[in-house]
Structures are given as C-alpha cells and as structure tokens.
C-alpha cells in the first residue's frame, strides 16, 4: 500500500492520534489537519505533513472547500474524518469528492439507517430487538399530547440525529433526561426539538456498555469491547481508564442483526444500556471511530489499518480474538478526575475514599498502557501537557 496518501481530519482528537499512529506504523504516508496547525495528532512522528481548515460547525461550505484544496494539492487518496461534524459535512457533499478518493464509509442509505435514530429504532423494533418504549414525535403539539399522558419519570428526550447539518451551520444536539413535566416543557424550547423530529423514550436504569465493529459489505470483519474503569467526571463521562473485555454474545447478536440489515460497510460503535436483569437495550449507533480507539489497537484489533485494507482491497482478514484484560489510561484525563474527586464534598467521597482514590491514581494498574504518552512517539504528550498547563493558567 505504498501508493496510499492518507489525510486524517480532526487532529486534536485522541482517536485521530490513534489512527495516525496505526497507519503510520504500517508505512502509510499520513498527514493530519484541523482548525489549528499545531495539534495532538500533528505532533506525532507519523504525521508527515499538516494543514488547517475552516470550522465544519460554523462554516461547513468553507470547510469542505478547504478539504478539496488539500486533497488536490497533496494528492490525497484516502480521507478519514473522525468526528461527527466533519464526517457529516463530507458525506453530505460526497458526490463532489474527486474520483478515486477512498472515503471509508457506507453509502448514504446505509448511513441513514443508523445515524437517523428515529429510523434506527423503528428498524430495531421491527426486528424484535430490545429497545426502550419509544414514541416518535413530529411536532411540539404532538409532544404536548404525549407528555399529558406520561405519569412516570424520568423520561428521555432523544433528537433524531446527534448533529444536524443545515446550509449555514451544524446544530449540535444532546439527549436530555427529564424528571418532570416542567423539565420536559423547558427542554422542548431547544431548537432541535422545536424544529426537527425526535423521540420520547422510557428511561432504562443500568450500565452503559458498547460494542465496536468493522464490517465489509454487510459482513463482520471484527468485534471489540471494553469496560470503563474510571471516568471523567466520576459520575459518568469520558473514559480515563478502560479495559478490554470479552464481547457479550447478546450485544453481538443485536449489533450484527442491525449492521447486516443496513448492509454496513465500515466501522460502527453500538451503544447499549444494560438493565439490572441483564437485558442490553439499544441506545444508538455511531458510524465513526470512538474515543478509546487506541485500546483496541493495543489489544490486537488494529481498526484503522483494517478499515483501510477493507476499502482498498475490498476485504480484510477477519480478526477472531484479542487480548482481554488490556488496560489503557489517559493520564491527564485521569489527573482531572482525581482533582474532581478530591475537591468533592464529603457526602460524595469520604476522606477514606479520597485517600483510596489517591492511592489508586499512583499505584500501578497491571497490564496498562498510556494512551497519549509513549516513549516511541512522545511529542504528542508534550503538546498535550503544554496545552493542559496553559488551560490551567487561563
């Protein structure tokens, strides 16, 4: 694959750094780009060139024109966006991309099956898969009628898409859990509920889990799963310490059913909420790389290279197993988490619990690799540390 010239976007994302290291280690020529020239992935020794583009959020047309210019000037033939914003703008303008350029995503209809949450849940329900009780809302008037019949809270208000692309901007949406009719009424004032379809779902109490997969022409190439050991904030958020785990057979069956039905081609992150009785309820599917991508690579599932191979060669060698129990730590994220724990009131964390968390931070974590700081490619950590210290001073 010496003729591949890859452009990785969203270079300040840790998943972009993981992809840059993955492809670069395989001898692929890689360049990185983002809204600023100096970036996390751009600091890697595997990033052989770097560039700047306009914001896909506020200037989507300018962003896409910048990408076309980079592709032309640098003779790019493999384009990899890693965030929803950049992905959506590029997919919306897919027909304008140069012929011969590889964009490792399914066709529009397959993507709409998954990215449009209304369609995804309708599909899942038609296939008899476990989902929260769902009502599909097309107008505020309909929402008001539905809310008048709801007596049990909390409930979940879920936009039909995570990012909504308009002619002038990208509207970022968020899933909102409300605990009363008043909270629901307030949430409905948001533009993405007021002007677009959405869902009202029952709230599933349980643990969030995910399954990650690569598909080629509707058939699975590999699956991967991990669990979060520590999160920032501690109440639940981005993973700062995670561990590879065996793939849950029920989650795999649900994911395979949906991805096969959509004739999926590429990577996907399937998110579940596992109830107390063990039932994995579908939450959403994201057709892109995830934040803890480096853990999968460390565990033996090199998703970025497998993705490239599947699109360049039309197929990739399936991966049937990976290292279970491999841990990965985002050091500065973990430091932030520790700070949040130590400053929290005693009713949340007792003095003894805080001391235990302090010990856990400094004690070895067994078979653990660091996500960013690696001796073989140390400059990204220097970049991240400098930014971290600047942010502390500001």
């Amino acid at each position: 694959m010496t003729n591949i010239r890859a452009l990785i976007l969203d270079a300040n994302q840790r998943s972009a750094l993981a992809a840059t290291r993955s492809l670069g280690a395989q001898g692929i020529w890689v360049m990185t780009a983002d809204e600023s020239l100096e970036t996390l992935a751009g600091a890697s020794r595997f990033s052989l060139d770097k560039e700047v583009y306009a914001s896909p959020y506020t200037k989507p047309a300018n962003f896409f024109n910048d990408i076309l210019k980079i592709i032309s000037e640098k003779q790019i033939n493999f384009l990899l966006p890693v965030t929803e914003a950049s992905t959506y703008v590029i997919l919306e303008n897919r027909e304008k991309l140069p012929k011969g350029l590889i964009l490792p995503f399914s066709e529009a209809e397959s993507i709409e099956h998954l990215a449009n949450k209304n369609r995804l849940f309708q599909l899942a329900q038609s296939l008899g898969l476990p989902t929260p009780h769902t009502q599909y809302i097309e107008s505020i008037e309909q929402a008001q009628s539905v809310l008048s019949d709801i007596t049990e809270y909390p409930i979940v208000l879920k936009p039909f898409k995570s990012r909504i692309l308009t002619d002038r901007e990208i509207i970022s949406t968020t899933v909102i859990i409300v605990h009363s009719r008043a909270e629901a009424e307030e949430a409905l004032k948001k533009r993405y509920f007021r002007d677009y379809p959405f869902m009202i779902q029952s709230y599933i109490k349980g643990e969030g889990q995910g399954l990650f997969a690569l598909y080629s022409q509707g058939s699975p190439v590999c699956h991967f799963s991990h669990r979060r050991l520590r999160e920032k904030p501690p109440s639940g958020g981005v993973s700062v310490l995670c561990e590879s785990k065996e793939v849950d057979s029920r989650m795999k069956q649900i994911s395979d059913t949906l991805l096969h039905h959509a004739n999926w081609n590429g990577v996907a992150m399937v998110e579940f909420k596992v109830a107390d009785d063990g039932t994995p309820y579908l939450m959403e599917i994201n057709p892109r790389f995830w934040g803890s991508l480096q853990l999968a690579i460390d565990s033996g599932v090199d998703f970025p290279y497998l993705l490239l191979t599947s699109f360049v060669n039309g197929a990739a060698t399936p991966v049937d197993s990976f290292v279970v129990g491999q841990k990965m730590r985002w050091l500065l994220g973990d430091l932030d988490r520790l700070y949040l724990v130590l400053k929290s009131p005693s009713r949340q964390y007792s003095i003894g619990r805080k001391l235990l968390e302090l010990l856990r931070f400094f004690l070895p974590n067994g078979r653990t690799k660091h996500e960013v700081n690696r001796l073989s490619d140390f400059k990204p950590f220097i970049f991240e540390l400098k930014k971290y210290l600047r942010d502390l001073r500001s």
Side-chain angles (χ1 to χ4, degrees):
M1 296 189 186
T2 55
N3 61 331
I4 296 295
R5 293 175 66 85
L7 170 60
I8 298 177
L9 307 184
D10 311 295
N12 269 315
Q13 301 295 314
R14 287 174 288 121
S15 54
L17 173 61
T20 299
R21 285 170 166 170
S22 162
L23 299 186
Q26 295 289 343
I28 305 297
W29 187 94
V30 177
M31 77 172 294
T32 54
D34 207 315
E35 294 177 42
S36 56
L37 187 62
E38 301 305 319
T39 62
L40 182 67
S44 170
R45 67 186 179 91
F46 296 110
S47 176
L48 304 181
D49 201 351
K50 49 191 176 183
E51 193 52 87
V52 179
Y53 51 68
S55 170
Y57 285 96
T58 58
K59 299 179 179 179
N62 292 352
F63 161 77
F64 186 72
N65 288 335
D66 287 343
I67 298 303
L68 288 180
K69 182 179 179 182
I70 296 170
I71 290 171
S72 175
E73 291 180 350
K74 303 296 182 178
Q75 298 179 310
I76 300 299
N77 53 17
F78 183 80
L79 176 62
L80 182 62
V82 299
T83 65
E84 285 179 304
S86 60
T87 300
Y88 284 171
V89 175
I90 289 170
L91 289 175
E92 185 71 15
N93 295 278
R94 191 174 200 164
E95 72 283 354
K96 301 176 186 176
L97 293 170
K99 290 184 178 179
L101 177 77
I102 298 171
L103 182 65
F105 291 88
S106 281
E107 295 304 317
E109 182 61 21
S110 294
I111 293 171
E112 189 67 11
H113 265 296
L114 306 187
N116 185 320
K117 294 180 177 63
N118 284 28
R119 288 189 60 175
L120 171 65
F121 277 89
Q122 288 167 348
L123 171 62
Q125 289 172 339
S126 72
L127 296 171
L129 303 177
T131 63
H133 175 69
T134 302
Q135 299 188 70
Y136 302 95
I137 307 300
E138 298 292 333
S139 68
I140 291 298
E141 291 75 22
Q142 183 188 359
Q144 298 284 359
S145 176
V146 169
L147 288 174
S148 66
D149 295 330
I150 293 177
T151 57
E152 187 174 341
Y153 287 85
I155 59 171
V156 179
L157 306 182
K158 183 173 290 185
F160 85 113
K161 283 189 176 180
S162 301
R163 301 287 186 272
I164 301 172
L165 179 62
T166 71
D167 292 338
R168 295 178 296 175
E169 62 180 344
I170 289 178
I171 303 170
S172 295
T173 72
T174 185
V175 175
I176 299 179
I177 300 171
V178 297
H179 297 81
S180 67
R181 173 73 181 267
E183 287 186 15
E185 297 279 4
E186 186 63 28
L188 291 179
K189 295 178 182 177
K190 295 184 180 296
R191 178 183 177 187
Y192 47 82
F193 292 129
R194 188 181 68 243
D195 298 340
Y196 298 92
F198 63 97
M199 291 175 284
I200 296 179
Q201 293 186 322
S202 60
Y203 177 77
I204 304 297
K205 183 180 178 181
E207 181 181 60
Q209 295 187 25
L211 184 142
F212 316 102
L214 170 62
Y215 263 62
S216 180
Q217 306 301 330
S219 298
V221 175
C222 55
H223 299 84
F224 179 76
S225 185
H226 77 264
R227 64 189 184 105
R228 297 177 174 188
L229 302 177
R230 291 202 289 261
E231 296 175 285
K232 181 186 78 167
S235 58
V238 63
S239 171
V240 298
L241 180 67
C242 51
E243 179 182 39
S244 60
K245 63 182 286 290
E246 292 181 356
V247 172
D248 180 89
S249 59
R250 179 65 172 134
M251 290 185 195
K252 181 176 180 294
Q253 183 266 326
I254 295 169
S255 301
D256 285 349
T257 299
L258 291 168
L259 294 172
H260 178 75
H261 197 278
N263 194 33
W264 191 244
N265 197 24
V267 296
M269 174 174 62
V270 188
E271 296 189 22
F272 297 90
K273 182 70 73 70
V274 181
D276 294 338
D277 64 0
T279 303
Y281 288 89
L282 177 69
M283 292 290 109
E284 63 178 342
I285 300 180
N286 291 309
R288 58 181 175 84
F289 281 132
W290 47 95
S292 54
L293 174 61
Q294 186 63 57
L295 176 63
I297 299 170
D298 292 340
S299 303
V301 188
D302 193 345
F303 276 101
Y305 186 65
L306 288 167
L307 177 67
L308 184 147
T309 302
S310 69
F311 274 81
V312 171
N313 297 337
T317 303
V319 177
D320 298 322
S321 63
F322 56 84
V323 175
V324 173
Q326 175 66 56
K327 296 184 179 70
M328 185 189 71
R329 186 186 193 192
W330 175 28
L331 181 60
L332 295 184
D334 203 10
L335 182 61
D336 273 344
R337 178 193 179 277
L338 178 64
Y339 170 75
L340 293 173
V341 168
L342 295 179
K343 78 166 189 174
S344 64
S346 57
R347 66 177 181 274
Q348 287 182 282
Y349 286 89
S350 65
I351 296 298
R353 177 74 185 278
K354 290 180 180 181
L355 289 174
L356 181 60
E357 292 289 345
L358 193 63
L359 287 173
R360 285 175 173 168
F361 180 85
F362 288 104
L363 289 175
N365 290 293
R367 187 167 54 192
T368 302
K369 292 186 178 182
H370 287 279
E371 183 174 15
V372 177
N373 44 315
R374 303 200 166 195
L375 290 177
S376 60
D377 188 29
F378 203 66
K379 286 184 178 179
F381 179 66
I382 298 299
F383 170 85
E384 184 187 43
L385 182 60
K386 287 180 178 178
K387 183 179 184 301
Y388 186 84
L389 295 174
R390 284 197 304 270
D391 291 345
L392 284 179
R393 292 195 297 266
S394 61

